[in-house]
Amino acid sequence: MRPWTVLLCFALAAPAALAAPTQVPPSAATATAAPVPADVPLLAPVVVSGVVSGPGLWKVSKDGHVVWVLGTLSPLPGHIQWESREVEQVLAQARQVLPEPRIKLKADIGFFGKLFLLPSAYGARKNPDGKTLDQVMDASTYQRWLALKRKYIGDDRGIERWRPLFAAQELYRKALKANGLSNDGGVSGAVAALAKQDGVPETPVEYRVEIKHPGDALKAFKAAAPSDMECFSRTLDAIEHDLPAMTARANAWATGDLAALRGLPDSHRRDACVTAITSAGFAHQLGLDDIPAQMEVVWLAAARDALAKNDTSFAMLPMEELLSPSGYLARLKAQGYAVEAPQGLDDAPAAAGSAVAPAAAASTTH
């Protein structure tokens, strides 16, 4: 990882949630828990495991050309083996794969410059003036942090000098691992392996940000750093209270229950953390304040290009962009493209019908 990405990596990570490591067979259905009295402790939710197929695919088409889109989610159950026959069939026919959009950082700096920059990057991770977490937040919030830190991180004194933004990300990462969830359940790696096996090229979808003077960028971060207590508090909330719903979302994805997934609440923790970055003064100086809009522009252009060139293409997008009435697929629909949701989700905001993956490759195996 290039050292200046330390400032941004947490904001670019996929949304995460908590789950318990208890396992059930993959065929087990995910049920919605009935309300319980406030004084009755909640049992840890059960996490799906084993071989799962995940959700069906969205279909975007125009003039006989199609892009099949897989909605991704993070986190997912950590003990699943994702095998989608539908995706295998599509990739056997596809001419192009579009991965999830991401930021591509480029900096004008040499090898020795990187070595000297690294300590500065880690310095930016710390609170200014050597302050500790208990000195930059109220006592009640700090006590919540201490309780969760003891549970998931342990006796780490160094993290007490980190900015709340970075401390929150580390706590969240540790909590996910401890509770049996993974970043993406191995889905992205499985797609890449299938595409390589079928000889389907992957076209990165990237919003490029050039940082000509990384040292100045770090100084800008220290001088106009984000206000990160909202992100910190939302992270504590997610770990303490959002476990059942967030685990249910992961299970719903794994079992392909899109109707349940759409109805389950998100903690919006990631939104708070990304906003902390994009609204900070340094973000404007680096051209990072309009990241969401720019990434949408880049992906839509790539999708239109794939639809113009290929009979069949495959893409991956975060699930919220598929379910949202203002997401990427809704934008394509407004531009005249036909958008069909998977079976069982005919009334999705971006849907125009029920999509069924092509059967022409039904005999193909991997």
Side-chain angles (χ1 to χ4, degrees):
M1 176 182 292
R2 290 174 174 172
W4 50 88
T5 63
V6 172
L7 306 179
L8 300 169
C9 60
F10 71 93
L12 308 182
L18 301 179
T22 310
Q23 300 178 18
V24 297
S27 59
T30 301
T32 301
V36 297
D39 58 347
V40 177
L42 291 174
L43 296 177
V46 175
V47 183
V48 167
S49 66
V51 179
V52 301
S53 60
L57 303 180
W58 270 256
K59 179 183 179 182
V60 182
S61 60
K62 189 173 186 179
D63 299 330
H65 294 195
V66 179
V67 171
W68 295 94
V69 185
L70 172 67
T72 60
L73 188 71
S74 180
L76 289 176
H79 302 288
I80 60 172
Q81 180 181 344
W82 177 72
E83 294 181 4
S84 172
R85 183 64 172 170
E86 187 178 14
V87 172
E88 291 181 10
Q89 293 174 8
V90 169
L91 287 174
Q93 300 180 14
R95 294 294 177 265
Q96 187 177 9
V97 171
L98 302 179
E100 290 186 51
R102 62 183 60 210
I103 293 176
K104 177 72 172 182
L105 292 176
K106 179 181 179 182
D108 183 14
I109 186 169
F111 174 74
F112 289 103
K114 293 179 184 179
L115 294 179
F116 286 114
L117 186 60
L118 186 58
S120 297
Y122 278 91
R125 186 175 63 179
K126 296 181 179 180
N127 284 310
D129 302 322
K131 290 183 177 181
T132 54
L133 288 174
D134 63 325
Q135 295 175 311
V136 298
M137 63 184 65
D138 62 82
S140 61
T141 301
Y142 182 69
Q143 288 304 312
R144 293 173 64 198
W145 153 260
L146 277 184
L148 293 172
K149 177 193 170 187
R150 282 194 293 266
K151 182 175 182 179
Y152 294 114
I153 297 178
D155 185 19
D156 182 346
R157 297 182 181 180
I159 199 173
E160 290 292 325
R161 296 191 178 277
W162 290 13
R163 293 189 61 90
L165 202 65
F166 295 99
Q169 179 65 9
E170 180 66 6
L171 174 66
Y172 209 61
R173 185 182 68 84
K174 295 281 191 179
L176 290 179
K177 183 177 180 180
N179 283 281
L181 289 189
S182 68
N183 206 27
D184 73 345
V187 173
S188 60
V191 168
L194 289 171
K196 183 177 181 180
Q197 179 174 310
D198 288 328
V200 186
E202 181 179 279
T203 303
V205 183
E206 299 172 338
Y207 170 48
R208 296 177 177 269
V209 177
E210 184 174 1
I211 302 177
K212 294 185 178 180
H213 304 288
D216 292 341
L218 288 165
K219 292 178 183 178
F221 176 82
K222 293 179 180 180
S227 175
D228 43 10
M229 282 310 302
E230 177 68 15
C231 169
F232 188 82
S233 296
R234 286 290 185 94
T235 300
L236 300 186
D237 290 342
I239 296 173
E240 291 174 333
H241 306 301
D242 295 340
L243 175 60
M246 299 292 279
T247 301
R249 284 171 58 83
N251 287 345
W253 187 97
T255 58
D257 191 348
L258 290 173
L261 179 61
R262 186 174 57 181
L264 290 166
D266 191 359
S267 69
H268 301 295
R269 175 256 177 192
R270 179 177 180 271
D271 293 342
C273 295
V274 171
T275 299
I277 285 289
T278 58
S279 63
F282 86 95
H284 178 73
Q285 296 180 41
L286 300 182
L288 300 173
D289 50 347
D290 61 347
I291 284 175
Q294 292 296 336
M295 293 182 75
E296 177 181 299
V297 168
V298 169
W299 190 88
L300 291 177
R304 289 192 296 265
D305 182 66
L307 282 161
K309 296 191 305 184
N310 308 314
D311 291 337
T312 303
S313 303
F314 177 80
M316 292 186 291
L317 277 178
M319 187 63 73
E320 59 263 30
E321 297 297 345
L322 309 185
L323 296 175
S324 170
S326 59
Y328 290 9
L329 296 197
R331 302 292 188 196
L332 286 176
K333 184 177 179 181
Q335 295 171 10
Y337 293 86
V339 179
E340 303 174 38
Q343 289 181 332
L345 202 63
D346 296 342
D347 58 341
S354 178
V356 179
S363 62
T364 302
T365 59
H366 293 283

